[in-house]
């Protein structure tokens, strides 16, 4: 694209009254489109005859300058690192909310402005951090959803929990009720409408009154880890729904201490083995450091 020029300069050529700073500002607000696709990068190259439109009345995009760390990307999918506090997808189809999906869509518009596509494959709770995958083509979305539905994805979480694990590892195999009520799920009773749910846990490190677990999902029901661990007396620290107040531990908990640490699967379209690991975020690592500093580690902790 030898004749291409920066979008901010092309916009100024169309609107000579714009300063360089103002041009950059309206672009980053998401008010400028190129060939019908919103572009938020001032340095985006555009060909001489590209259709550029500026709509000053378009609502500025939330956090348009923000970006999410990319853990893996190929032509079919992207895995990002979702921070705690960010929704995975909107709470309703028309909701104007800052979500991981919206941010990935902004990123993809830069890559393929003429054919942008992002499809949700799975979700993380708002206050759970870690690896989150999105499909970049309709075919990939269908194939990846099949992988998750058929439980052919290795999904491992780090969880800081209150309580004393009864052994080095365990399994919680309890169905979860179909009804979502009052912002929470519950374990299903006999003959109640439910879906099977199986969670495996392993002790990584023990403290007095708390533990660091590696949790593996065999199924992926809403709130599964938090509900299952709470049911066996190991609630996730900082969980406002299924947790409990922990007075014995010298902690200030910024959110629920649950982090999606690993995704591993065979890429269904290319056959490539994908293994993505997300490092512990700062808030999680700080709480873990406090536990190590102030609580007594027990002998025989697993590595």
């Amino acid at each position: 694209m030898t004749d291409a020029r920066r979008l901010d300069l092309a916009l100024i050529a169309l609107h000579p009254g714009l300063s360089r700073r103002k041009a950059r500002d309206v672009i980053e607000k998401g008010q400028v489109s190129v060939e019908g696709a919103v572009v938020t990068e001032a340095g985006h190259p555009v060909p001489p005859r590209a259709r550029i439109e500026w709509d000053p009345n378009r609502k500025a995009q939330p956090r348009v300058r923000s970006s999410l760390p990319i853990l893996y990307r190929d032509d079919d999918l992207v895995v990002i690192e979702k921070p705690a506090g960010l929704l995975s997808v909107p709470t309703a189809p028309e909701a104007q909310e800052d979500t991981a999906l919206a941010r990935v869509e902004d990123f993809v518009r830069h890559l393929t402005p003429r054919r942008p596509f992002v499809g949700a494959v799975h979700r993380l709770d708002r206050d759970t951090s870690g690896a989150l995958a999105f499909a970049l083509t309709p075919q990939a979305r269908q194939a990846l959803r099949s992988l998750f539905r058929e439980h052919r994805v290795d999904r491992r979480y780090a969880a800081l929990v209150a309580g004393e694990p009864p052994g080095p590892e365990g399994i919680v195999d309890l169905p979860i009720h179909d009804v979502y009520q009052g912002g929470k799920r519950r374990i299903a009773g006999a003959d109640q409408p439910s879906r099977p749910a199986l969670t495996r846990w392993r002790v990584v490190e023990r403290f007095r009154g708390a533990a660091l677990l590696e949790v593996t999902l065999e199924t992926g029901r809403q709130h599964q880890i938090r509900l299952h661990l709470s049911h066996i007396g190991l609630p996730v620290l900082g969980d406002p729904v299924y947790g409990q107040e922990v007075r014995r531990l010298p902690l200030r908990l910024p959110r629920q201490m649950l982090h999606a640490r690993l995704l591993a699967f065979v890429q269904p379209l290319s056959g490539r083995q994908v293994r993505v690991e997300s490092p512990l975020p700062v808030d999680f690592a700080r709480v873990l450091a406090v536990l190590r500093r102030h609580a007594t580690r027990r002998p025989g902790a697993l590595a």
Side-chain angles (χ1 to χ4, degrees):
M1 197 183 297
T2 56
D3 296 329
R5 56 178 167 172
R6 292 171 54 97
L7 176 56
D8 54 357
L9 298 180
L11 185 64
I12 290 170
L14 291 173
H15 302 275
L18 283 178
S19 66
R20 183 80 175 266
R21 182 174 181 177
K22 179 65 174 178
R24 189 164 54 246
D25 180 58
V26 300
I27 291 169
E28 291 176 349
K29 284 181 177 178
Q31 294 179 337
V32 177
S33 60
V34 179
E35 298 294 342
V38 173
V39 176
T40 58
E41 184 180 343
H44 180 80
V46 295
R49 290 178 291 278
R51 188 176 81 259
I52 301 171
E53 296 175 326
W54 169 34
D55 181 359
N57 296 317
R58 183 184 298 157
K59 184 179 178 180
Q61 293 185 3
R63 302 186 186 182
V64 71
R65 296 184 185 181
S66 298
S67 62
L68 297 173
I70 295 176
L71 301 172
Y72 174 85
R73 179 168 65 89
D74 61 25
D75 291 339
D76 302 306
L77 66 102
V78 61
V79 182
I80 56 93
E81 191 165 36
K82 188 189 86 65
L86 182 68
L87 288 166
S88 294
V89 299
T91 55
E94 302 302 323
Q96 297 297 313
E97 297 168 305
D98 185 21
T99 66
L101 175 62
R103 296 198 196 184
V104 174
E105 287 173 338
D106 285 342
F107 171 72
V108 170
R109 287 190 191 102
H110 287 76
L111 297 177
T112 55
R114 295 186 180 183
R115 294 183 297 106
F117 176 89
V118 180
V121 176
H122 65 123
R123 303 181 185 185
L124 297 177
D125 294 339
R126 182 198 288 263
D127 285 331
T128 297
S129 55
L132 181 63
F134 292 94
L136 299 182
T137 67
Q139 296 81 4
R141 178 173 60 178
Q142 181 178 357
L144 288 167
R145 283 183 171 178
S146 293
L147 283 187
F148 279 87
R149 187 168 55 249
E150 296 164 7
H151 317 308
R152 291 191 285 148
V153 179
D154 188 356
R155 305 171 66 182
R156 302 185 194 181
Y157 292 70
L160 283 170
V161 300
E164 305 279 347
E169 60 186 20
I171 296 174
V172 185
D173 187 0
L174 293 169
I176 295 177
H177 201 291
D178 282 348
V179 175
Y180 179 73
Q181 190 172 24
K184 63 192 305 182
R185 295 282 181 182
R186 68 179 188 270
I187 302 298
D191 300 323
Q192 290 184 327
S194 63
R195 294 185 180 187
L198 193 151
T199 305
R200 300 180 187 273
W201 58 268
R202 178 181 73 91
V203 177
V204 176
E205 198 167 347
R206 289 179 181 268
F207 309 98
R208 179 182 297 171
L212 172 63
L213 305 182
E214 178 184 75
V215 182
T216 302
L217 282 181
E218 297 293 335
T219 56
R221 312 304 179 202
Q222 186 182 38
H223 295 185
Q224 177 177 323
I225 292 175
R226 297 158 59 197
L227 176 58
H228 271 179
L229 291 181
S230 178
H231 187 79
I232 63 172
L234 299 173
V236 173
L237 288 173
D239 185 349
V241 178
Y242 305 102
Q244 61 190 36
E245 185 178 359
V246 183
R247 297 181 178 178
R248 293 178 298 166
L249 300 175
L251 299 173
R252 290 185 179 181
L253 300 166
R255 48 99 174 187
Q256 62 198 29
M257 293 290 99
L258 187 60
H259 178 70
R261 188 182 65 81
L262 179 142
L263 283 177
F265 52 90
V266 175
Q267 212 270 38
L269 301 182
S270 69
R272 183 186 301 114
Q273 179 68 45
V274 175
R275 182 183 177 89
V276 182
E277 296 192 41
S278 174
L280 293 180
V282 172
D283 60 352
F284 194 111
R286 284 175 177 167
V287 173
L288 183 57
V290 171
L291 283 172
R292 287 171 174 159
R293 191 164 59 244
H294 293 284
T296 302
R297 279 188 66 177
R298 297 199 167 187
L302 298 180

